[in-house]
Amino acid sequence: MSNRLLLATFEHEDDLLAATTAVRKKGLHIVDAFTPYAVHGLDRAMGLRQSRLTWVCFICGITGALGMLWFEHWTASVSWPIDVGGKPWNSLPSDVPVAFEAAVLLGGFGSVFALFGVSRLYPGKRAHVIRPRITDDQFVLVIGETDAAFEVSVIERLLRDYNAVETEEQIDEGGRIR
Amino acid sequence: MTSSNAVISRASARKLVVATVAGAVLLALSTLFAPDRVWANLLVGSYYLITLGLGGVLFIALTNVCGGGWQAAFRRVPEAMTGVLPVAGVILLATLAMRLGEYGWHHHGEGDVGTFWFKELWLDPKFLAVRAVAYVLLWIAFARALVGRSHRQDTLPPTSNARIHAGMSSVFLAVFAITISLAGADWIMALEPMWFSTMWGVYQFSGLIQATLAVMIVACVLLRRQGALEGVFTDEHLHDLGKLLLGFSCFWMYIWFSQYMLIWYANLPEETSYFISRTHTAWAPVVVGSIVLNWIVPFFVLLPRPCKRSESIMLKVAAVVLVGRWVDLSVMVFPPVVGDLPVFGIPELASIVSMSGLFGLLFAQTFSSAAPVPRNEPFLEESLHYHA
């Protein structure tokens, strides 16, 4: 049996937030929410788990800093020792700026590419805009069927309390929303 | 202090008075056996206090200029911090007056080092004193104007005069940038008049803003526990203050290292003297300690999001930063005044206890002088409901 999806369209950010909170409180499964801009507090209302991107950034940053420290040590005092201004070959203070930059560079790039990877974004990917106005002034909440409690008319009535301007039922075709 | 909205009980106020007076008496008695240490402690303590007051004005002015709304709910905290300015100013000016004759270029500019007309003019003790009075008066005037407007707004009809706030605030920011750079150079860098660093002004600012944020965190959390900011100061505010503290801890380290590395690299005798007497003496472990307290601890502890939203962790980190600020200031002041050997004993303890008590008293008194949450504040709703 294929599951059903319910798409609810809202005109206002506050309606979307309130509806999302209410739908989640009912124990319904929220597939996704589409908004023209980042809506503060939506992640919490949807019950999304904490992003792990910060860990990617931290590990990349540490790798960049330590890797560059090692590389500077190797180039300046092992492979080809250079005397700069009479300083010892292995002078930590002179290594810090580059290690710092490498940490920032790797942390930044690591986070961005991890985000692209996780959200499957790549150059030339075709934009899949489920409703034209979600890039402009409308908000769409997608609710998925998980069990028999998914009674469309009941949910529609609930959503209308939160000023849903339109609701549409779809058959879930492998997570692709039309 | 009106008892109706006093934020501390009579008993705690009495304890603070006892701490302040006992510390001051002990510090005064210490002049018998260690006058240099007492003077250094007075300078560290009064500079610490006055920069906290100034930091309060800075936070208000910065958020006004940015049109910030998130801080509206706890704005009375930085406003209350400015209450220390007059008293701290008096202590600082008195401290400078005690040894004004030892400031100045002239007795350094004789002999084989020659003279330099600008330093001779600029570091003339009388001119230095006049400037010090001018800085302090300017800061107090701006603090009164900005805090006064905010207090008056409580009784006015709810209209936004954010633009007027922003105008005066932006003037203050320009005045602040110049005066803190000059004041830091006049009062602390001039303790070693042969030495100079063009990073000094921003170094002073970095420590000031870091300690200011730490005090705001401690004060807001304590006031929430006490009840005055209960349901007003939210975890979102705490989270954002934590982000700022994390950022400015890194900024302090960045500036500290920038100053150190340029001097280390160039290795010029007239520049290295500052670090010779601090990193090549028994002060070295203290310098390392200040880096641990001011950057390593706040950086690693404040990175995870849950830590920035935890009241108890934030209190502890803020306390570490405040100790770090004291260590940082001591490293600036003690070597030229007291000598190459770090000391910690009765004068230092007495000064810390006295200045902390004084800050607590003045803060509580100023905080109690107005409604704990601004009234008729157009940004208040936004501040109570925003997400960090």
Side-chain angles (χ1 to χ4, degrees):
Chain A
M1 191 194 109
S2 53
N3 287 341
R4 287 169 300 167
L5 294 173
L6 189 67
L7 277 69
T9 309
F10 299 89
E11 296 277 4
H12 298 288
E13 167 185 335
D14 295 340
D15 291 332
L16 171 80
L17 269 176
T20 309
T21 311
V23 163
R24 200 167 145 259
K25 210 174 272 172
K26 287 257 182 239
L28 293 162
H29 170 59
I30 296 168
V31 178
D32 213 342
F34 296 88
T35 61
Y37 51 85
V39 173
H40 284 280
L42 187 59
D43 51 345
R44 225 171 303 166
M46 288 171 72
L48 295 181
R49 64 163 187 272
Q50 189 64 46
S51 164
R52 286 163 298 176
L53 207 55
T54 52
W55 281 104
V56 175
C57 183
F58 181 70
I59 290 163
C60 286
I62 289 282
T63 310
L66 294 181
M68 191 47 83
L69 276 182
W70 168 81
F71 183 65
E72 286 179 279
H73 167 77
W74 179 76
T75 49
S77 47
V78 177
S79 171
W80 196 275
I82 303 172
D83 184 331
V84 180
K87 299 269 192 284
W89 286 341
N90 190 30
S91 290
L92 185 65
S94 62
D95 293 347
V96 168
V98 184
F100 170 75
E101 297 301 340
V104 173
L105 187 76
L106 237 73
F109 273 135
S111 314
V112 167
F113 286 115
L115 175 71
F116 283 171
V118 168
S119 18
R120 297 196 189 83
L121 285 171
Y122 47 86
K125 178 171 176 166
R126 279 188 53 191
H128 175 56
V129 182
I130 59 157
R131 295 285 178 278
R133 285 178 68 187
I134 59 161
T135 64
D136 182 17
D137 62 347
Q138 275 193 341
F139 306 82
V140 172
L141 180 66
V142 184
I143 303 159
E145 177 178 13
T146 46
D147 52 36
F150 192 81
E151 186 60 60
V152 172
S153 58
V154 176
I155 304 170
E156 272 179 340
R157 214 172 308 134
L158 171 75
L159 291 168
R160 211 142 295 148
D161 290 344
Y162 295 100
N163 308 320
V165 289
E166 191 195 322
T167 50
E168 189 195 325
E169 200 185 329
Q170 284 185 8
I171 302 296
D172 187 355
E173 293 162 340
R176 192 160 173 84
I177 305 154
R178 277 169 288 130
Chain B
M1 203 183 297
T2 51
S3 54
S4 57
N5 51 357
V7 287
I8 51 170
S9 64
R10 267 170 195 284
S12 351
R14 205 171 303 134
K15 273 181 212 154
L16 286 177
V17 172
V18 169
T20 310
V21 174
V25 169
L26 212 53
L27 194 62
L29 288 176
S30 307
T31 46
L32 294 174
F33 69 93
D36 288 343
R37 276 167 70 184
V38 171
W39 189 81
N41 274 307
L42 277 174
L43 185 60
V44 168
S46 57
Y47 187 74
Y48 198 144
L49 282 194
I50 206 166
T51 49
L52 285 182
L54 192 57
V57 193
L58 174 67
F59 187 84
I60 301 164
L62 262 179
T63 45
N64 279 349
V65 166
C66 301
W70 68 281
Q71 83 293 345
F74 64 91
R75 199 181 58 211
R76 287 285 137 90
V77 169
E79 283 175 13
M81 286 170 71
T82 67
V84 303
L85 275 175
V87 177
V90 168
I91 303 174
L92 185 104
L93 292 176
T95 307
L96 291 181
M98 273 180 226
R99 294 203 169 180
L100 199 56
E102 290 180 33
Y103 276 100
W105 165 260
H106 202 73
H107 43 274
H108 296 273
E110 287 163 356
D112 58 348
V113 289
T115 54
F116 180 42
W117 66 270
F118 184 76
K119 274 201 176 180
E120 190 139 355
L121 182 85
W122 188 258
L123 293 180
D124 175 71
K126 283 195 201 86
F127 187 27
L128 192 132
V130 170
R131 285 201 308 275
V133 173
Y135 304 145
V136 173
L137 288 181
L138 264 177
W139 296 341
I140 294 174
F142 273 102
R144 285 187 163 235
L146 284 170
V147 176
R149 266 171 204 279
S150 163
H151 285 193
R152 272 198 302 283
Q153 192 179 266
D154 280 10
T155 54
L156 291 173
T159 49
S160 169
N161 38 13
R163 201 171 276 189
I164 310 171
H165 290 313
M168 182 180 291
S169 301
S170 48
V171 175
F172 170 76
L173 289 184
V175 170
F176 167 79
I178 296 166
T179 48
I180 187 66
S181 309
L182 295 181
D186 280 1
W187 303 338
I188 300 182
M189 196 165 92
L191 292 172
E192 291 160 272
M194 302 293 290
W195 178 77
F196 54 89
S197 161
T198 47
M199 297 289 300
W200 195 256
V202 69
Y203 178 42
Q204 297 306 309
F205 159 72
S206 67
L208 175 152
I209 185 83
Q210 195 189 5
T212 301
L213 289 165
V215 166
M216 278 168 53
I217 289 164
V218 172
C220 286
V221 167
L222 293 184
L223 284 168
R224 176 160 78 174
R225 285 186 182 171
Q226 177 267 345
L229 293 182
E230 202 181 336
V232 175
F233 182 77
T234 64
D235 283 348
E236 312 296 327
H237 295 126
L238 189 65
H239 189 176
D240 271 349
L241 285 174
K243 290 179 202 166
L244 284 172
L245 185 62
L246 171 65
F248 278 107
S249 298
C250 294
F251 183 70
W252 177 89
M253 186 73 250
Y254 187 89
I255 297 303
W256 189 97
F257 183 75
S258 299
Q259 175 170 279
Y260 174 79
M261 195 193 68
L262 291 181
I263 291 171
W264 171 84
Y265 235 127
N267 209 13
L268 300 173
E270 76 249 43
E271 289 181 356
T272 48
S273 63
Y274 182 85
F275 284 107
I276 296 285
S277 58
R278 284 165 181 84
T279 58
H280 288 63
T281 61
W283 281 98
V286 185
V287 172
V288 173
S290 86
I291 291 171
V292 171
L293 296 170
N294 282 307
W295 180 62
I296 294 181
V297 170
F299 179 71
F300 284 102
V301 175
L302 291 182
L303 266 186
R305 180 186 140 110
C307 294
K308 291 190 284 262
R309 298 177 78 89
S310 152
E311 215 180 71
S312 64
I313 293 177
M314 285 287 279
L315 266 186
K316 283 172 197 134
V317 174
V320 167
V321 167
L322 290 175
V323 174
R325 170 74 169 156
W326 186 83
V327 174
D328 188 31
L329 285 175
S330 299
V331 169
M332 292 181 213
V333 170
F334 273 64
V337 178
V338 178
D340 283 346
L341 213 61
V343 277
F344 190 87
I346 293 171
E348 287 71 30
L349 220 54
S351 158
I352 293 172
V353 167
S354 182
M355 299 286 179
S356 313
L358 186 60
F359 180 85
L361 272 177
L362 292 168
F363 180 90
Q365 191 189 6
T366 322
F367 191 85
S368 308
S369 70
V373 183
R375 301 195 184 109
N376 302 327
E377 168 55 54
F379 284 121
L380 187 61
E381 270 311 294
E382 176 184 334
S383 181
L384 291 174
H385 292 113
Y386 87 114
H387 294 275

